[in-house]
Amino acid sequence: MCRPTYFDVTYSINPWMHPDRPTSTQTALSQWKLLFETFAALGHDVHLIEPEPGLPDMVFAANGAIVIDNKVLVARFRHPQRVDESEAFQAWFTTGGWSTVRQAEFINEGEGDFLFTGHEILAGSGFRSDLRAHEEVAEFFGYPVVSLELVDPRFYHLDTALAVLDVGEIMYNPRAFSQRSRAELAERFPDAILAGEADAAAFGLNALSDGVNVVLPQAATGLAAQLRERGYQPVGVELTEMLKSGGSVKCCTLELRR
């Protein structure tokens, strides 16, 4: 994770970002701290990367890389406002004892668009990551990659429209995907939890599951109820300030898989 020390909305690279709308760095810090403390209370080991001035979106650490089996593929961002984040993540992992660390050749926005299910990688395209990055990820990690096309600009990254709950189990917003991708998801995950419009708009799918607990925006009450029915323990947090920049729980959290 990365503290939102420099959090602000000074540019717009997704429909949620409005530079003329007031933001509060202090509120962002308070909400982020509660998320950090939630993970710690659930028994997770949280590592921090230092924020850098001029990179207000660095708090969204999930976009910084993909980390599977001790290998790290560092992001290559589409928008110039975020390009310098890659160097910071490259340096952090290079000094961290990971077996293989390199930057992606093609546009690849890390776990924003690449979600590991345990035996395959679901990969988003349409707004940020390049389709060529899907082939690169498959070759680098040695796992099959399932390409999914996003069609609603509000859900510009895969992790805003879909969350992996456990091996073989996901929740997602069908309306965020193309017809072909909807069919693909329905075939692969026939028992998936489907998000309603209100929960999707609250970024309820920008969630993080450890297989038991699912940390998600507390406004996503419908999803929380569905998760309880499936035997999960939903843990609601408030990240309304982050949503002004188009992010929430998962965006703030990069999963490190040794």
Side-chain angles (χ1 to χ4, degrees):
M1 299 180 72
C2 181
R3 287 187 183 87
T5 305
Y6 305 106
F7 177 79
D8 200 356
V9 179
T10 59
Y11 50 80
S12 180
I13 57 175
N14 68 58
W16 303 90
M17 302 178 80
H18 301 282
D20 56 342
R21 183 182 179 187
T23 57
S24 169
T25 303
Q26 189 56 51
T27 300
L29 280 163
S30 297
Q31 292 181 348
W32 178 92
K33 182 181 178 184
L34 287 174
L35 177 62
F36 175 92
E37 291 172 347
T38 296
F39 288 140
L42 292 172
H44 299 296
D45 187 15
V46 184
H47 300 264
L48 298 179
I49 183 172
E50 285 299 311
E52 297 195 5
L55 299 176
D57 281 346
M58 195 171 163
V59 62
F60 300 125
N63 304 150
I66 308 165
V67 186
I68 303 173
D69 294 343
N70 210 38
K71 299 173 68 176
V72 182
L73 190 62
V74 176
R76 184 175 295 277
F77 289 93
R78 178 169 296 279
H79 294 288
Q81 295 93 335
R82 300 198 66 181
V83 164
D84 290 343
E85 293 178 39
S86 294
E87 184 177 348
F89 280 97
Q90 178 100 21
W92 193 89
F93 282 108
T94 299
T95 59
W98 299 84
S99 64
T100 306
V101 180
R102 74 167 174 84
Q103 186 180 17
E105 177 181 356
F106 300 106
I107 299 298
N108 171 332
E109 300 210 343
E111 280 199 329
D113 271 329
F114 295 88
L115 299 175
F116 186 50
T117 69
H119 52 76
E120 64 189 357
I121 300 170
L122 305 180
S125 69
F127 297 105
R128 296 294 183 88
S129 296
D130 195 306
L131 266 175
R132 292 172 295 178
H134 295 192
E135 297 178 11
E136 181 182 13
V137 165
E139 181 178 348
F140 183 79
F141 290 108
Y143 286 96
V145 169
V146 179
S147 295
L148 301 168
E149 183 185 13
L150 297 160
V151 295
D152 186 332
R154 296 176 300 165
F155 308 108
Y156 57 94
H157 274 151
L158 183 63
D159 71 352
T160 68
L162 183 151
V164 176
L165 298 172
D166 205 347
V167 176
E169 190 159 23
I170 67 170
M171 59 181 183
Y172 69 100
N173 171 18
R175 297 168 299 282
F177 295 92
S178 68
Q179 193 62 42
R180 181 198 65 79
S181 295
R182 289 188 198 185
E184 180 83 35
L185 287 168
E187 181 178 353
R188 288 178 176 271
F189 305 98
D191 298 321
I193 293 175
L194 304 183
E197 178 62 32
D199 286 336
F203 259 39
L205 293 161
N206 195 241
L208 191 64
S209 172
D210 60 15
V212 177
N213 306 286
V214 182
V215 184
L216 75 169
Q218 64 182 20
T221 54
L223 276 176
Q226 290 177 276
L227 288 164
R228 287 190 192 94
E229 290 175 0
R230 295 291 181 94
Y232 293 98
Q233 177 60 48
V235 182
V237 294
E238 185 174 10
L239 286 174
T240 51
E241 204 64 21
M242 301 302 180
L243 188 53
K244 294 177 182 178
S245 197
S248 192
V249 175
K250 176 56 188 167
C251 286
C252 291
T253 319
L254 173 61
E255 295 175 72
L256 305 179
R257 303 177 183 87
R258 288 279 187 189

